[in-house]
Amino acid sequence: MNIAAITITYNDEFKFKEWCDHYEKYKEELYLHIIIDNNSTDDYLKKVKSYFNNSIIIEMGFNGGCTASYNAGLKCALADLDVDSIALIGNDMMIEKGGMTNLYNFLFSNNKFGMVEPLILNSNGTIN
C-alpha cells in the first residue's frame, strides 16, 4: 500500500490547526504526502514547512488554482514508481484513522474500479 496524498494550500491560516488535526488521523497510512503551495505569504509557508516537515512541499510561485496545483502534485507522485494510488485530499477534509486503508482496500477489491472517494457528509448532516 503506497498511497501518495496531494493537498493544496494558499494562506489557509484560518484552518491550519484543523488541517493538522485531520492530518494526524491518516498520516501513518500515507507513503508520500505532497503539499502544493499556491504562493502563500512567507510567514504562512514557514508554518506549513515546520509542521509538515516530512512532506514534499512544492512552491508554485503563483496561484495555480486547483488544476495547475493538482497537476504539479500528480507529476511529482507519478515520478515515484513505488506509488500505487493517489489521493487528492482537501486540507479541510476529515478522514478517520484507518479510512485511507479502507479506501485503498476497496479500490483494489475490484479491477473495474478506477477511483473511490470517502463519504464526506452523511444524509442526516453528521460528518464522518
Side-chain angles (χ1 to χ4, degrees), residues 58-96:
I58 298 173
E59 298 176 47
M60 293 290 282
F62 62 95
N63 189 339
C66 289
T67 303
S69 299
Y70 278 133
N71 283 343
L74 289 166
K75 183 177 180 180
C76 179
L78 292 171
D80 186 326
L81 299 179
D82 290 327
V83 169
D84 60 7
S85 55
I86 299 172
L88 308 180
I89 302 178
N91 61 8
D92 60 352
M93 286 180 64
M94 183 172 57
I95 300 173
E96 65 187 9

Side-chain angles (χ1 to χ4, degrees), residues 31-122:
Y31 167 74
L32 189 65
H33 184 225
I34 303 164
I35 297 172
I36 310 300
D37 180 75
N38 274 327
N39 204 28
S40 295
T41 63
D42 289 341
D43 287 343
Y44 176 74
L45 187 54
K46 284 179 192 173
K47 193 172 190 175
V48 170
K49 288 179 177 180
S50 176
Y51 187 84
F52 294 99
N53 55 22
N54 291 319
S55 300
I56 294 171
I57 299 174
I58 298 173
E59 298 176 47
M60 293 290 282
F62 62 95
N63 189 339
C66 289
T67 303
S69 299
Y70 278 133
N71 283 343
L74 289 166
K75 183 177 180 180
C76 179
L78 292 171
D80 186 326
L81 299 179
D82 290 327
V83 169
D84 60 7
S85 55
I86 299 172
L88 308 180
I89 302 178
N91 61 8
D92 60 352
M93 286 180 64
M94 183 172 57
I95 300 173
E96 65 187 9
K97 185 176 181 125
M100 294 301 295
T101 300
N102 290 339
L103 288 167
Y104 181 92
N105 290 338
F106 187 69
L107 174 65
F108 286 96
S109 71
N110 186 324
N111 64 6
K112 292 182 180 180
F113 293 161
M115 60 186 261
V116 297
E117 64 182 270
L119 177 66
I120 303 299
L121 186 64
N122 288 322

